[in-house]
């Protein structure tokens, strides 16, 4: 009898755990695993912000990789960011699945030839409606657990940088009234999402409090962002479904659904 190989995934962590997330969730790693892992999978953590990377020879043993958000700039030249860009270029050449979230979305773009910079419209923090493009409609995902993905979804945002230009050959899959590239896809193995599909609203509230305390923005801005997030709902299950379908190879074209 053939024994099925255990599927392995890697989280490339570009942020240090906050006291709040450690206390409430046990760390960001558990937040990501709760959102994206399925039973029977093995997920490994690499704290790349501290210079911890998977061995090049071990990359082939993973089904997919997730890059977290970060307080650092994706266009920075810190050693670990440059090392990450090299790893991402290697994974792209190997046709490995790579999902980038926030900073991860931006650094994927940079590593593969796109452009990243400060957002012209400043901070985007809170819950925002994201609209899918026609290219995303073509790349539909269907199963029996939920209805068809709606044309707009709400997601938690927390960024002041953005993708200015996607790599040549990449497709913009979603945009918003604040950010032109909310989501992009490059080939069948690269997906970037500017928002945070893994976050709960309490994590966002804690981030707003910390950013306010370190002077990143004024009190009125923080209060408005928290009020709006309190009144809005996040389409977290749909976002989790999109991310998991991509990582696990269950992303299918619209035409395939008719057979």
């Amino acid at each position: 009898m053939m024994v099925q190989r255990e599927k392995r995934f890697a989280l490339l962590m570009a942020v240090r755990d906050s006291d709040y997330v450690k206390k409430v969730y046990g760390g960001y790693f558990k937040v990501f695993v709760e959102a994206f892992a399925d039973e029977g999978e093995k997920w490994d953590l690499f704290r790349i912000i501290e210079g911890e990377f998977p061995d090049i020879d071990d990359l082939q043993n993973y089904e997919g990789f997730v890059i977290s958000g970060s307080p650092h700039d994706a266009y920075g030249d810190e050693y670990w960011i440059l090392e990450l860009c090299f790893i991402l270029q290697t994974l792209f050449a190997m046709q490995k699945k790579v999902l980038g979230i926030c900073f991860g979305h931006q650094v994927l773009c940079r590593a593969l030839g796109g452009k990243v910079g400060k957002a012209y419209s400043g901070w985007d923090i809170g819950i925002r409606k994201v609209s899918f493009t026609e290219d995303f409609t073509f790349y539909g995902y269907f199963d029996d657990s939920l209805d068809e993905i709606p044309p707009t979804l709400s997601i938690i945002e927390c960024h002041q940088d953005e993708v200015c230009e996607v790599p040549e050959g990449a497709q913009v899959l979603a945009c918003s009234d604040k950010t032109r590239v909310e989501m992009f896809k490059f080939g069948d193995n690269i997906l970037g999402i500017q928002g945070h599909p893994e976050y709960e609203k309490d994590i966002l509230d804690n981030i707003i409090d910390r950013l306010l305390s370190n002077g990143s923005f004024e009190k009125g801005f923080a209060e408005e962002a928290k009020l709006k997030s309190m009144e809005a709902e996040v389409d977290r299950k749909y976002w989790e479904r999109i991310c998991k379908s991509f990582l696990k190879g269950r992303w299918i074209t619209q035409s395939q659904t008719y057979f």
Side-chain angles (χ1 to χ4, degrees):
M1 182 177 70
M2 182 178 294
V3 178
Q4 187 173 3
R5 182 172 63 89
E6 182 181 51
K7 291 185 177 181
R8 294 175 64 190
F9 294 86
L11 175 62
L12 307 182
M13 186 76 77
V15 62
R16 293 181 175 87
D17 291 323
S18 68
D19 291 339
Y20 178 83
V21 169
K22 280 193 290 187
K23 179 181 178 180
V24 177
Y25 294 93
Y28 280 117
F29 178 66
K30 290 188 176 180
V31 172
F32 275 94
V33 169
E34 176 66 24
F36 299 151
D38 287 320
E39 187 177 351
E41 297 171 352
K42 177 177 172 53
W43 282 69
D44 295 330
L45 171 63
F46 296 93
R47 297 188 181 276
I48 59 174
I49 194 172
E50 297 174 3
E52 181 182 306
F53 286 86
D55 293 334
I56 291 292
D57 292 340
D58 199 31
L59 297 179
Q60 62 184 337
N61 296 319
Y62 289 95
E63 301 290 325
F65 299 78
V66 178
I67 318 158
S68 78
S70 177
H72 291 259
D73 297 325
Y75 46 83
D77 289 328
E78 291 94 329
Y79 173 79
W80 68 271
I81 295 178
L82 299 180
E83 178 71 12
L84 175 59
C85 288
F86 171 74
I87 291 288
L88 296 178
Q89 291 162 359
T90 302
L91 293 174
F92 180 68
M94 294 172 68
Q95 292 291 293
K96 288 291 184 179
K97 297 277 186 180
V98 185
L99 170 64
I101 304 296
C102 197
F103 165 89
H105 160 84
Q106 297 162 12
V107 79
L108 263 176
C109 176
R110 174 193 179 177
L112 301 179
K115 295 181 180 179
V116 181
K118 287 291 182 196
Y120 290 111
S121 54
W123 274 101
D124 187 6
I125 186 161
I127 298 174
R128 188 162 298 279
K129 282 280 188 183
V130 168
S131 300
F132 294 110
T133 67
E134 290 182 359
D135 285 324
F136 179 79
T137 302
F138 179 75
Y139 292 99
Y141 168 69
F142 298 84
D143 67 8
D144 295 330
S145 63
L146 287 170
D147 297 331
E148 182 178 342
I149 301 292
T152 63
L153 291 175
S154 294
I155 194 169
I156 290 174
E157 303 271 7
C158 184
H159 64 100
Q160 61 175 336
D161 296 335
E162 65 182 358
V163 168
C164 304
E165 183 179 317
V166 297
E168 184 177 355
Q171 297 168 297
V172 177
L173 298 186
C175 59
S176 70
D177 59 359
K178 186 82 170 177
T179 303
R180 190 181 69 83
V181 184
E182 288 281 2
M183 183 175 176
F184 79 93
K185 186 172 182 281
F186 197 1
D188 292 325
N189 65 312
I190 301 295
L191 183 66
I193 299 175
Q194 180 58 72
H196 286 273
E198 80 284 11
Y199 278 2
E200 298 283 2
K201 287 202 288 186
D202 64 309
I203 296 177
L204 171 65
D205 287 345
N206 179 257
I207 291 174
I208 292 174
D209 289 340
R210 287 189 284 121
L211 289 170
L212 176 62
S213 68
N214 69 22
S216 295
F217 39 65
E218 296 181 352
K219 184 177 180 180
F221 180 86
E223 290 177 345
E224 183 180 4
K226 291 182 77 170
L227 179 61
K228 288 183 176 179
S229 69
M230 186 185 304
E231 297 171 344
E233 293 298 325
V234 180
D235 294 310
R236 194 165 181 264
K237 291 300 180 184
Y238 281 111
W239 285 110
E240 287 181 4
R241 182 180 172 204
I242 289 168
C243 294
K244 290 172 73 171
S245 66
F246 168 77
L247 285 170
K248 318 303 170 70
R250 301 195 295 261
W251 190 307
I252 60 178
T253 65
Q254 192 89 337
S255 61
Q256 288 175 294
T257 64
Y258 296 104
F259 292 91

